[in-house]
Amino acid sequence: SGGLEKRDLDVIGMVNSLAVKDNALYASRSNRVFVFEVKEDGNLVKRKEIKTSGCDQIRVSENMLFTGENGKVNIYDITDPFNPVKKYKVPLSMNVVDLEVWNEYLFVFHDKWFSSSKFAMFKFLDDAAPVKTDEIKLSCSDPEFVSDSQNIYLGCRNGQKKIEFNENEKLVVKSIG
């Protein structure tokens, strides 16, 4: 019948995050990111596993796969979607809770046991690792990024925040609800 069935993901257990590029499905599960090929009939074929360090969040943007891990974001080239090649490591002081790729920026919310949250912004420069442009302390329960073509937001249990930055690429966070 085709389509994604629960049995297809039973081979890896609980999944934290999913991302798709063309007919490749990426599924994170703590210490691994699994790469599946989605066949025309909807069946999944596991093609590769990437060893990670506590990966709870993944994102795909163009030909890049981002894995939010313990104390870092790893960035993989997925020009060949079934054979990710690690390209960059973005070190962080704490574990990634959520991340978002928006235009030429990487936004990361990272935290240590829900006590000392930080929000960081990195900018992509040509063919080089992203460069941190700003980082601020920010309290946010259950953070989740949401974006559209013109804005990026950080949803928190204690209210939504709109993310802006000034001409010096310093973060400005405005409560909107």
Side-chain angles (χ1 to χ4, degrees):
S1 69
L4 182 62
E5 302 285 335
K6 180 185 177 302
R7 66 175 161 70
D8 296 322
L9 293 177
D10 282 344
V11 296
I12 61 172
M14 189 177 98
V15 173
N16 297 325
S17 187
L18 294 170
V20 175
K21 179 186 187 292
D22 302 327
N23 65 327
L25 172 72
Y26 305 91
S28 70
R29 180 177 181 239
S30 188
N31 62 351
R32 298 269 190 280
V33 171
F34 297 88
V35 182
F36 292 95
E37 179 180 2
V38 181
K39 296 292 198 177
E40 285 187 28
D41 64 1
N43 288 319
L44 296 178
V45 176
K46 187 166 73 169
R47 297 283 299 268
K48 189 168 190 158
E49 292 181 22
I50 303 169
K51 200 172 191 181
T52 65
S53 171
C55 179
D56 287 334
Q57 296 294 328
I58 57 175
R59 298 289 182 276
V60 167
S61 180
E62 297 181 16
N63 286 325
M64 305 301 272
L65 170 67
F66 298 79
T67 61
E69 303 181 34
N70 293 334
K72 66 187 169 212
V73 173
N74 280 321
I75 304 173
Y76 296 84
D77 181 325
I78 54 171
T79 303
D80 176 351
F82 303 113
N83 292 299
V85 176
K86 187 173 171 182
K87 195 166 182 176
Y88 307 115
K89 174 183 167 184
V90 179
L92 299 163
S93 60
M94 297 178 277
N95 300 336
V96 175
V97 179
D98 200 14
L99 61 96
E100 185 70 34
V101 180
W102 184 74
N103 296 333
E104 68 268 19
Y105 296 95
L106 169 64
F107 295 95
V108 180
F109 191 89
H110 55 123
D111 186 89
K112 187 169 224 160
W113 305 112
F114 308 104
S115 62
S116 53
S117 307
K118 289 186 180 179
F119 175 51
M121 179 172 76
F122 299 83
K123 186 173 185 174
F124 295 99
L125 303 171
D126 299 320
D127 194 25
V131 174
K132 186 188 302 181
T133 60
D134 198 13
E135 183 173 62
I136 59 174
K137 289 183 178 182
L138 182 65
S139 177
C140 179
S141 300
D142 297 327
E144 186 171 327
F145 288 109
V146 178
S147 62
D148 59 30
S149 62
Q150 296 182 353
N151 298 294
I152 185 159
Y153 302 91
L154 180 62
C156 306
R157 188 181 305 162
N158 53 337
Q160 188 173 14
K161 301 171 187 324
K162 182 177 181 184
I163 309 303
E164 297 177 350
F165 40 94
N166 60 26
E167 62 279 351
N168 297 323
E169 295 185 331
K170 298 298 178 193
L171 288 164
V172 177
V173 179
K174 298 181 177 181
S175 292
I176 58 172

